[in-house]
């Protein structure tokens, strides 16, 4: 069976999703989970973009062991040097250099003739090869590049010793037969093409990223690039979980498979959604909440008689487990630890104690604590920004004919402060009261809420993005009460903001 290598770019192209801004700790956390999923290669960021990106790539490079870590670079020596610095300490470093090749990009963005593009790309691969044994070269906007020029650039990359050549459909323009045909053409027309791995990188502007990527596999692509949950620029990138499950479910058709641990898919998806704040739509293939739900009577009848009538893959195959051990307020530490192991969490004694204390608080509010409750609680717990402000209590007075008022009590290192404020709604009143305590001038750039579990006593998770000058910070809050979750998310974001301000005075994003 042919192996398809998986190149994950959740931390780079995925992080380029509007509104997403992962800090170093969050990137490392996702990277460690991607390692459990057994991604072959991970692109950790674009080090030349900012000192923060460089530091985050370095932290990822040092944290993971069994995966190739990649840094992105434009075709410039300075960018390549930034990747060299960022990948220090990586077990298996690789650089990803790119240059646009399409007529539109050549004319309007690069203002270069074909020959200049060829020479610039050649010089950068040569420079990168001096320092890296593994080099990937991408022809940005390959999808709209003339086939003969594409073959010329790919041939040059092969001769210069690139290990992987990537053919991105940067703007999601192509359809599957066109994209597949490019791989066939390159295989048939570029001398020594077998010396490199060909890679597919698709964007989803017309909803064809997965289909295009599969077409590339059928036409000889060795590697696929994508993100978890399909997040990414504009309409996003190819969703890795969709490719992995398409290959696994239709193995006899594709005769190719990835090396992913498929049962880690659900957990990876949840973590990426939580940390990026990008909610997975219910009907999203593979990882949407409804992907394995059967609503109509006819379907339910079929499922009860024989699951395969309407189920082409099982929820268990992506790591969604039916709970055997139900936890509640009478459950002890032993059952709790067993449950954590069952869910795949091997925590230290201190982490178990911490999580157990939170579980007890939750169990007091809910009759039954479900697996989803626990996962939400655990994933929430793993992010530990220093708590400059710690929410102790909130009180809200709301009536549809009066002005909402909120009172909050917040602890700092040396005192406890109580403030009260009014607002246009309950959440606004809470946020005004918190602002009075923290004294921070922030703008609420985004607010979203979702239910992470089922039933009337479900836990709500609030995600907020705050901005202050150039710095943006995300915060999350989890509670069975949505006002409390809103307050927690806001305080969390203020703490993240303070931490970020300390670390990087300014985040300067270079434009790709
Ligand atoms: O979509 C694209 O072309 C990219 C390149 C940087 C590889 O993300
Ligand atoms: Zn891309």
């Amino acid at each position: 069976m042919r192996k398809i290598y998986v190149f994950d770019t959740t931390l780079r192209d995925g992080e380029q999703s509007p509104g997403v801004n992962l800090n170093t700790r969050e990137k490392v956390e996702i990277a460690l989970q991607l390692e459990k999923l057994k991604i072959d290669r991970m692109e950790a960021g674009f080090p030349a973009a900012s000192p923060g990106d460089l530091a985050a790539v370095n932290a990822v490079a040092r944290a993971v062991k069994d995966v190739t870590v990649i840094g992105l670079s434009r075709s410039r020596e300075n960018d390549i040097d930034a990747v060299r610095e960022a990948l220090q300490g990586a077990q298996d470093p690789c650089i990803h250099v790119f240059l646009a090749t399409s007529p539109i990009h050549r004319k309007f963005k690069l203002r270069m003739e074909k020959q200049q593009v060829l020479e610039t790309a050649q010089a950068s691969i040569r420079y990168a090869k001096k320092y890296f044994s593994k080099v990937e070269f991408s022809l940005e906007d390959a999808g709209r590049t003339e086939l003969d020029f594409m073959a010329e650039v790919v041939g040059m990359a092969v001769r210069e010793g690139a290990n992987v050549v990537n053919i991105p459909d940067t703007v999601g323009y192509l359809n599957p037969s066109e994209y597949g045909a490019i791989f066939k053409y390159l295989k048939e027309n570029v001398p020594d093409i077998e010396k490199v791995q060909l890679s597919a990188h698709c964007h989803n502007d017309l909803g064809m990223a997965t289909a295009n990527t599969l077409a590339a596999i059928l036409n000889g692509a060795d590697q696929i690039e994508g993100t978890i949950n399909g997040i990414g620029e504009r309409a996003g990138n190819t969703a890795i979980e969709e490719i992995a499950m398409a290959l696994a479910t239709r193995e006899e058709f594709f005769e190719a498979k990835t090396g992913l641990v498929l049962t880690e898919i659900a957990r990876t998806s949840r973590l990426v959604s939580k940390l990026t704040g990008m909610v997975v739509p219910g009907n999203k293939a593979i990882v949407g909440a409804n992907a394995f739900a059967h609503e109509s009577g006819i379907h339910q009848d079929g499922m009860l008689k024989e699951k395969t009538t309407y189920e082409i893959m099982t929820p268990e195959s992506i790591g969604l487990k039916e709970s055997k051990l139900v936890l509640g307020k009478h459950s002890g530490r032993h059952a709790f630890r067993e449950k954590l192991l069952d869910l795949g969490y091997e925590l230290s004694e201190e982490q178990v104690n911490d999580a157990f204390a939170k579980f007890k608080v939750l169990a007091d509010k809910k009759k039954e604590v479900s697996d989803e409750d626990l996962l939400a609680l655990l994933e929430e717990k793993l992010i530990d920004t220093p708590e400059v402000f710690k929410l102790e209590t909130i009180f809200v007075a709301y009536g549809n004919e009066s002005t909402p008022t909120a009172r909050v009590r917040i602890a700092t290192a040396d005192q406890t402060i109580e403030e009260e404020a009014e607002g246009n709604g309950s959440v606004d009143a809470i946020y005004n009261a918190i602002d009075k305590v923290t004294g921070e001038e922030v703008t609420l750039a985004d607010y979203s809420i979702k239910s992470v579990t089922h039933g009337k006593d479900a836990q709500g998770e609030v995600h907020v993005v705050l901005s202050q000058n150039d710095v943006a910070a995300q915060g999350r809050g989890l509670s069975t009460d949505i006002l409390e979750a809103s307050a927690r998310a806001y305080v969390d974001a203020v703490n993240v903001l303070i931490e970020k301000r300390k670390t990087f005075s300014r985040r300067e994003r270079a434009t790709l």
Side-chain angles (χ1 to χ4, degrees):
M1 186 74 59
R2 193 157 69 95
K3 168 163 174 164
I4 302 298
Y5 289 83
V6 178
F7 173 122
D8 177 280
T9 182
T10 305
L11 300 178
R12 199 277 299 169
D13 229 343
E15 211 228 0
Q16 286 174 220
S17 307
V20 173
N21 191 351
L22 297 166
N23 64 31
T24 300
R25 247 191 305 268
E26 291 165 332
K27 279 197 164 189
V28 168
E29 204 175 316
I30 291 177
L32 292 172
Q33 179 56 33
L34 290 172
E35 196 175 24
K36 281 195 191 153
L37 180 64
K38 288 222 178 301
I39 290 289
D40 300 290
R41 298 154 187 175
M42 75 169 73
E43 188 166 52
F46 177 29
S50 72
D53 271 25
L54 193 150
V57 173
N58 189 250
V60 168
R62 291 176 190 278
V64 297
K65 298 280 166 284
D66 293 328
V67 57
T68 305
V69 181
I70 299 164
L72 181 68
S73 162
R74 287 166 295 190
S75 288
R76 302 177 182 182
E77 290 194 359
N78 282 352
D79 275 29
I80 296 170
D81 291 340
V83 176
R84 285 169 60 198
E85 193 184 333
L87 291 186
Q88 272 172 26
Q91 302 278 326
D92 188 17
C94 171
I95 187 163
H96 177 193
V97 183
F98 74 97
L99 187 65
T101 50
S102 68
I104 296 180
H105 280 240
R106 291 194 314 256
K107 182 170 176 195
F108 297 107
K109 189 177 90 172
L110 300 176
R111 296 182 206 285
M112 283 184 189
E113 296 300 324
K114 282 182 181 169
Q115 191 55 28
Q116 276 174 289
V117 168
L118 206 53
E119 284 166 11
T120 308
Q122 182 177 37
S124 61
I125 298 173
R126 232 172 241 184
Y127 186 72
K129 264 293 186 187
K130 280 204 233 167
Y131 304 104
F132 291 91
S133 61
K134 289 190 179 167
V135 174
E136 168 165 332
F137 180 72
S138 281
L139 294 79
E140 192 191 10
D141 204 17
R144 292 186 296 172
T145 300
E146 308 89 328
L147 273 182
D148 55 347
F149 183 55
M150 196 187 317
E152 213 180 325
V153 179
V154 173
M156 173 280 296
V158 174
R159 287 193 300 281
E160 291 301 326
N163 308 76
V164 179
V165 176
N166 182 32
I167 310 296
D169 181 17
T170 303
V171 290
Y173 179 70
L174 299 179
N175 62 54
S177 57
E178 289 171 312
Y179 193 59
I182 294 178
F183 286 77
K184 187 164 186 294
Y185 176 85
L186 294 174
K187 290 254 168 200
E188 287 170 358
N189 290 281
V190 176
D192 292 332
I193 191 72
E194 64 291 343
K195 289 191 176 159
V196 296
Q197 289 192 340
L198 277 185
S199 180
H201 177 118
C202 298
H203 282 264
N204 205 29
D205 299 66
L206 293 172
M208 285 192 277
T210 297
N212 285 349
T213 303
L214 291 171
I217 291 173
L218 287 173
N219 284 280
D222 307 281
Q223 172 178 284
I224 64 103
E225 304 191 3
T227 59
I228 300 300
N229 300 338
I231 63 170
E233 284 269 1
R234 308 181 307 278
N237 289 56
T238 303
I240 286 176
E241 66 277 7
E242 292 179 13
I243 300 298
M245 290 311 287
L247 296 187
T249 309
R250 300 299 313 280
E251 207 174 276
E252 82 303 340
F253 178 77
F254 289 105
E255 296 180 335
K257 65 178 181 187
T258 67
L260 297 197
V261 178
L262 302 176
T263 48
E264 289 292 329
I265 286 178
R267 184 175 315 146
T268 314
S269 162
R270 263 193 312 262
L271 184 68
V272 169
S273 170
K274 180 177 291 287
L275 296 186
T276 58
M278 292 195 70
V279 176
V280 176
N283 64 339
K284 161 84 179 63
I286 318 295
V287 289
N290 300 339
F292 296 97
H294 301 271
E295 173 73 19
S296 90
I298 295 174
H299 287 209
Q300 287 175 349
D301 177 57
M303 282 290 291
L304 289 171
K305 288 176 176 148
E306 166 56 45
K307 282 193 174 181
T308 53
T309 49
Y310 288 103
E311 204 171 71
I312 58 166
M313 53 199 160
T314 64
E316 291 79 15
S317 64
I318 64 155
L320 291 170
K321 281 197 201 164
E322 274 300 311
S323 174
K324 279 167 254 109
L325 202 63
V326 178
L327 294 184
K329 70 174 176 183
H330 301 298
S331 304
R333 196 178 299 265
H334 185 191
F336 182 71
R337 186 188 280 279
E338 283 300 305
K339 170 61 91 179
L340 296 189
L341 288 174
D342 202 30
L343 293 172
Y345 281 85
E346 281 186 51
L347 304 185
S348 67
E349 195 60 30
E350 195 189 334
Q351 286 174 317
V352 171
N353 288 345
D354 201 10
F356 188 65
K358 287 196 171 187
F359 155 73
K360 279 289 181 186
V361 173
L362 179 63
D364 259 345
K365 296 182 188 164
K366 292 197 73 178
K367 228 170 70 198
E368 260 181 25
V369 178
S370 67
D371 286 3
E372 287 87 0
D373 281 322
L374 273 183
L375 288 166
L377 184 145
L378 287 165
E379 284 159 10
E380 153 110 327
K381 206 226 125 276
L382 293 173
I383 312 137
D384 52 352
T385 309
E387 284 186 302
V388 178
F389 296 105
K390 193 172 166 137
L391 181 73
E392 289 198 336
T393 57
I394 64 168
F395 171 82
V396 182
Y398 171 79
N400 62 350
E401 291 187 342
S402 59
T403 308
T405 314
R407 190 166 63 240
V408 297
R409 191 160 76 217
I410 290 177
T412 66
D414 43 22
Q415 59 179 327
T416 301
I417 310 169
E418 212 168 290
E419 285 290 356
E420 195 171 296
E422 293 184 340
N424 289 329
S426 303
V427 173
D428 190 40
I430 294 170
Y431 288 179
N432 290 339
I434 295 174
D435 284 346
K436 277 190 175 175
V437 174
T438 64
E440 294 285 342
E441 275 190 33
V442 292
T443 307
L444 180 64
D446 196 19
Y447 172 98
S448 62
I449 181 161
K450 68 170 182 176
S451 155
V452 285
T453 52
H454 305 290
K456 277 200 272 183
D457 60 356
Q459 291 195 88
E461 183 185 274
V462 171
H463 179 264
V464 300
V465 180
L466 297 183
S467 66
Q468 187 183 64
N469 304 323
D470 278 353
V471 187
Q474 305 180 38
R476 282 168 296 278
L478 192 69
S479 170
T480 46
D481 183 282
I482 56 172
L483 294 180
E484 185 181 328
S486 302
R488 293 200 176 285
Y490 197 85
V491 172
D492 185 37
V494 171
N495 286 331
V496 172
L497 191 83
I498 291 168
E499 177 71 3
K500 270 192 162 177
R501 231 177 19 211
K502 267 199 268 164
T503 323
F504 318 115
S505 53
R506 200 175 140 77
R507 183 183 173 93
E508 287 167 301
R509 268 210 171 277
T511 45
L512 286 183

